[in-house]
Amino acid sequence: MTNQELLRIAMWQSAIDANCCTEDFCQNENRIVLSTSNPDARKYLTLPFYCNLISYGNNIVASVNEEIADVVKEYINKYPVEHCFETPNIHMLNNELQKKDMLICFMAEYFLPDMNVLIAKSCDYETRVLFPEDFANLYTTEWANALCQKRKHLDVLAVAAYDKDRLIGLAGCSADCKVMWQIGVDVLPEYRRKGIASALTSRLAIEAIHYDKIPFYCAAWSNIRSVRNAIKSGFRPAWIEMTSESIDFVSEINR
């Protein structure tokens, strides 16, 4: 697969998630669409969205509830694309969402592999490919980024690093939709900065591609360590999203 093909498929999946057309992400004008449920959407999404903004860099596609559509349209057309995803501008949108008992909740950057640079990197420790029966007992706090306790059935593949018989790092793939698998990775604190995370992430990405799946990686913008790992592993920024949730939902997370 080429980088262009990977990007096109990612946009196709985003279109399913947002209830729009793939071509909408390539336009110069912003788009407002009404959100709806779709069984082919990424499994961790809560649909329909109340307000979800997606950008692949050209414009913003806003997938929204009808009652907030006019407000969001005014907002995304008032500021440059990049400013709509950062302060101080997002306070303007958040103030309007709060009137509807909603708040901006999730803000993330998504990465796709660069097929021109992606290789299986090495580290100084043994690595092994694991399957669900191999990591069934690894749903603990140490590996909470690599494996998802709430959606165990979606965890399909992993690559682990060992210091002798001790598990020291784990990258896992979640089959979040039919064509794309999300990678998460954890390394024990005392083993960080040794190239383990990038070795696991890059090898798992290649393993996923061997299964004809597109690996993707998600990181909060403020998580410098995670973003550095994405870049070192051969991934590059592809799109960004910002999602609202109910005030109660946000309050529960903040407890």
Side-chain angles (χ1 to χ4, degrees):
M1 289 182 285
T2 67
N3 289 340
Q4 291 75 20
E5 288 170 332
L6 294 181
L7 187 62
R8 186 71 178 178
I9 293 171
M11 288 182 177
W12 174 80
Q13 182 61 50
S14 290
I16 291 173
D17 301 338
N19 191 36
C20 68
C21 300
T22 303
E23 293 73 19
D24 289 337
F25 299 107
C26 303
Q27 306 303 313
N28 292 322
E29 296 79 23
N30 296 322
R31 289 275 288 123
I32 297 283
V33 295
L34 298 184
S35 181
T36 187
S37 298
N38 191 315
D40 293 327
R42 284 173 287 160
K43 302 304 181 185
Y44 60 87
L45 298 177
T46 302
L47 295 178
F49 293 121
Y50 189 78
C51 177
N52 187 66
L53 307 186
I54 307 170
S55 179
Y56 279 81
N58 293 317
N59 67 344
I60 296 174
V61 174
S63 184
V64 301
N65 183 291
E66 187 174 10
E67 72 175 10
I68 200 73
D70 289 341
V71 168
V72 176
K73 182 178 181 179
E74 181 179 359
Y75 173 75
I76 63 175
N77 288 329
K78 183 175 182 179
Y79 305 109
V81 169
E82 62 275 15
H83 292 177
C84 288
F85 292 86
E86 64 182 13
T87 57
N89 302 117
I90 61 173
H91 292 303
M92 303 299 293
L93 178 58
N94 204 48
N95 289 342
E96 294 299 323
L97 289 169
Q98 197 162 6
K99 296 175 184 178
K100 305 294 185 180
D101 294 326
M102 304 293 289
L103 290 171
I104 293 168
C105 184
F106 300 118
M107 300 168 63
E109 186 170 18
Y110 291 83
F111 299 76
L112 292 172
D114 183 342
M115 300 302 289
N116 297 319
V117 301
L118 179 67
I119 59 171
K121 301 178 72 68
S122 62
C123 65
D124 293 332
Y125 299 92
E126 178 192 2
T127 61
R128 307 174 197 164
V129 176
L130 305 182
F131 299 94
E133 60 271 21
D134 302 314
F135 53 74
N137 296 323
L138 298 180
Y139 287 88
T140 59
T141 55
E142 293 94 334
W143 318 117
N145 290 312
L147 302 173
C148 181
Q149 176 73 34
K150 292 181 179 179
R151 293 181 293 275
K152 289 183 178 181
H153 63 288
L154 297 179
D155 292 332
V156 292
L157 194 65
V159 176
Y162 294 87
D163 185 356
K164 298 180 181 178
D165 291 328
R166 184 189 183 192
L167 178 62
I168 60 173
L170 183 68
C173 259
S174 175
D176 290 334
C177 51
K178 291 180 180 179
V179 295
M180 300 179 72
W181 288 358
Q182 182 170 192
I183 292 179
V185 61
D186 291 290
V187 176
L188 296 181
E190 62 268 36
Y191 287 91
R192 291 172 185 166
R193 302 183 69 84
K194 297 178 183 291
I196 297 170
S198 59
L200 297 177
T201 303
S202 60
R203 182 174 178 189
L204 186 56
I206 290 172
E207 293 289 339
I209 291 170
H210 287 165
Y211 281 89
D212 293 325
K213 305 298 180 182
I214 296 175
F216 71 102
Y217 187 105
C218 176
W221 301 324
S222 57
N223 193 341
I224 299 300
R225 185 169 59 200
S226 185
V227 171
R228 283 176 176 165
N229 178 57
I231 299 298
K232 187 176 180 181
S233 301
F235 284 72
R236 299 293 181 263
W239 79 97
I240 54 175
E241 295 193 33
M242 185 167 71
T243 310
S244 70
E245 295 287 353
S246 70
I247 289 177
D248 289 344
F249 181 94
V250 175
S251 297
E252 184 63 29
I253 291 178
N254 285 332
R255 286 181 181 174

